[in-house]
Amino acid sequence: MNTSLRPAVIAGNWKMNNTPSQAQALITQMLPLVKDASCQVVIGVPFVNLPLACQMCKGTNVKVAAQNCHWEEKGAFTGEISPQMLTELGVEYVILGHSERRTYFGETDESLNKRVLAALNAGLKVILCVGESLQQREANVTNEFVCMQVKLDLQNVSEEMLKNVIIAYEPIWAIGTGKTATAQQAQEVCKTIRACIASLYGKQAADGMTIQYGGSMNAGNAAELLSQEDIDGGLIGGASLKAPDFATIVAAAK
Ligand code: PEP
């Protein structure tokens, strides 16, 4: 982390976990534990929990994220949620391009780019997820693959709009598997992503960009990962469902 250049952000991704009553209990337990955070804290909750989460986090240091959004403002898109629906609730962030969305719901870089543009145009901050599969890592194409995702997903995003983008590097083989990338592996790819941003937008934009690591980050390994120069925070799945563990990770980001 280099907080003199860019903000540190720890974001929880609850995925499809917690009913509204469970969400209420978890947020109630979490808020006091993270209130003195020196980084930005975000929780990404299921759509049905967004109104409650926004209400409970209002006036606190915790921001709320949705886990996806559509690119259109409204219309015949059954089951979808627009960026405008999110902002009206008080949602400030949206996680886009999570590998589970790409793998299980067929999201492509093309549709993701439309979501990114629509979300930014609506005033949301985007946490854009990229990352390689185990096969790609073993074939030694991680850096090229991740840069390709960054380039495709950020097409037509201006330098001004980029200020509202966080990139989360999430190796697919490390998500929910308990297999964390080593701090060196994670640092290498986050550094590569920063170089890719520099080639597209210049050094100043790259230096100012928050790049997170995600993939089995937990209370035990967060401090080492976050001590790396180019890792400015974390996107946390499983460990964000336990308030004390999440709070330990937040505390490590200082
Ligand atoms: C995630 O869902 O983005 C994630 C990193 O999950 P986990 O921390 O459980 O690996």
Side-chain angles (χ1 to χ4, degrees):
M1 284 190 341
N2 186 338
T3 49
S4 64
L5 289 174
R6 48 202 174 243
V9 181
I10 298 292
N13 174 19
W14 288 9
K15 314 191 188 198
M16 195 175 72
N17 290 294
N18 290 321
T19 64
S21 61
Q22 291 165 338
Q24 183 169 25
L26 180 54
I27 295 171
T28 303
Q29 197 192 357
M30 183 203 64
L31 284 177
L33 300 182
V34 301
K35 72 175 179 5
D36 298 321
S38 42
C39 62
Q40 179 60 64
V41 182
V42 180
I43 50 170
V45 307
F47 286 128
V48 293
N49 294 334
L50 288 170
L52 171 86
C54 287
Q55 200 189 332
M56 291 182 75
C57 295
K58 199 171 179 178
T60 74
N61 61 328
V62 176
K63 306 285 188 198
V64 177
Q67 297 174 11
N68 198 12
C69 70
H70 198 260
W71 55 86
E72 294 288 346
E73 192 176 334
K74 61 182 178 177
F77 301 99
T78 303
E80 291 293 320
I81 299 287
S82 76
Q84 289 72 16
M85 292 172 180
L86 299 175
T87 52
E88 189 175 315
L89 281 182
V91 174
E92 291 187 41
Y93 288 77
V94 62
I95 300 167
L96 291 176
H98 192 282
S99 61
E100 288 154 14
R101 300 289 328 162
R102 296 179 191 251
T103 305
Y104 304 136
F105 303 100
E107 285 187 14
T108 61
D109 288 305
E110 192 187 355
S111 71
L112 177 53
N113 177 238
K114 292 202 259 180
R115 289 175 211 273
V116 168
L117 289 168
L120 292 170
N121 283 327
L124 289 163
K125 294 186 173 72
V126 168
I127 299 177
L128 170 65
C129 304
V130 297
E132 83 287 3
S133 64
L134 190 56
Q135 191 195 16
Q136 288 157 343
R137 176 158 283 269
E138 286 174 352
N140 258 322
V141 295
T142 297
N143 290 347
E144 292 100 303
F145 182 76
V146 167
C147 287
M148 181 191 73
Q149 286 184 314
V150 168
K151 287 180 187 167
L152 291 172
D153 301 344
L154 292 181
Q155 260 184 355
N156 298 319
V157 170
S158 67
E159 192 179 337
E160 196 51 35
M161 291 161 91
L162 190 75
K163 291 180 182 150
N164 287 322
V165 177
I166 291 171
I167 294 181
Y169 165 56
E170 298 209 305
I172 298 171
W173 49 271
I175 297 178
T177 58
K179 280 188 201 161
T180 318
T182 64
Q184 290 69 30
Q185 285 172 324
Q187 161 61 20
E188 187 197 325
V189 183
C190 290
K191 189 176 173 184
T192 300
I193 291 171
R194 200 176 304 288
C196 176
I197 293 294
S199 74
L200 296 171
Y201 295 94
K203 185 174 183 314
Q204 202 183 344
D207 282 347
M209 164 160 276
T210 296
I211 301 178
Q212 299 173 318
Y213 167 77
S216 301
M217 193 188 265
N218 58 41
N221 60 26
E224 193 194 353
L225 286 158
L226 294 168
S227 70
Q228 304 297 311
E229 168 75 14
D230 289 287
I231 302 180
D232 310 308
L235 184 55
I236 324 296
S240 71
L241 299 172
K242 293 190 190 118
D245 288 13
F246 188 58
T248 302
I249 299 170
V250 167
K254 62 172 184 312

